[in-house]
């Protein structure tokens, strides 16, 4: 086998090894992006009447913290547990919410995403 044949063979072998990993990474990124989009939609539909749910803007209810700042008040993973079990608060204006497990994951991913974007903007 010639030297160029060996190089070509090694190149094909490396591509064959790397391609599935790259495809898996792309699929994972796509699934995460879809999950974040679901979380954004859930936050917008259920929470935006009181909370600022994006990376900017004020909350319509002055007592409701913006979602982009929640990490300063609590661990958003713990908030996820509350979303799954039903969030109960000390004030009657906030309704009780209960979400399915995949929705909880999506909301937590969205919260982490907007907090990371907010940190990057600073």
């Amino acid at each position: 086998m010639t030297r160029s044949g060996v190089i070509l063979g090694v190149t094909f072998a490396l591509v064959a090894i790397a391609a599935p990993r790259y495809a898996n990474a792309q699929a994972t990124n796509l699934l995460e992006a879809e999950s974040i989009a679901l979380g954004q939609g859930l936050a917008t539909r259920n929470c935006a009447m009181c909370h600022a749910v994006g990376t900017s803007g004020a909350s319509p209810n002055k007592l409701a913290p913006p979602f982009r700042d929640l990490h300063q008040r609590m661990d958003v993973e713990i908030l996820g547990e509350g979303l799954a079990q039903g969030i109960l608060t000390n004030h009657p204006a906030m309704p009780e919410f209960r979400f399915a497990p995949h929705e909880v994951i999506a909301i937590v991913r969205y919260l982490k995403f907007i907090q990371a974007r907010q940190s990057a903007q600073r």
Side-chain angles (χ1 to χ4, degrees), residues 17-92:
I17 292 169
R21 288 186 183 154
Y22 178 73
N24 287 340
Q26 282 187 315
T28 299
N29 289 341
L30 182 60
L31 290 174
E32 187 166 333
E34 289 174 357
S35 183
I36 289 169
L38 173 61
Q40 180 179 16
L42 290 166
T44 300
R45 278 192 302 282
N46 294 292
C47 311
M49 75 262 325
C50 296
H51 295 271
V53 297
T55 58
S56 64
S59 293
N61 179 336
K62 294 178 184 178
L63 299 176
F67 277 13
R68 65 185 172 272
D69 297 332
L70 285 178
H71 67 287
Q72 297 171 357
R73 294 174 171 240
M74 67 184 70
D75 180 349
V76 294
E77 294 288 342
I78 293 172
L79 177 62
E81 292 174 18
L83 292 171
Q85 297 171 0
I87 290 181
L88 298 173
T89 64
N90 292 338
H91 57 90

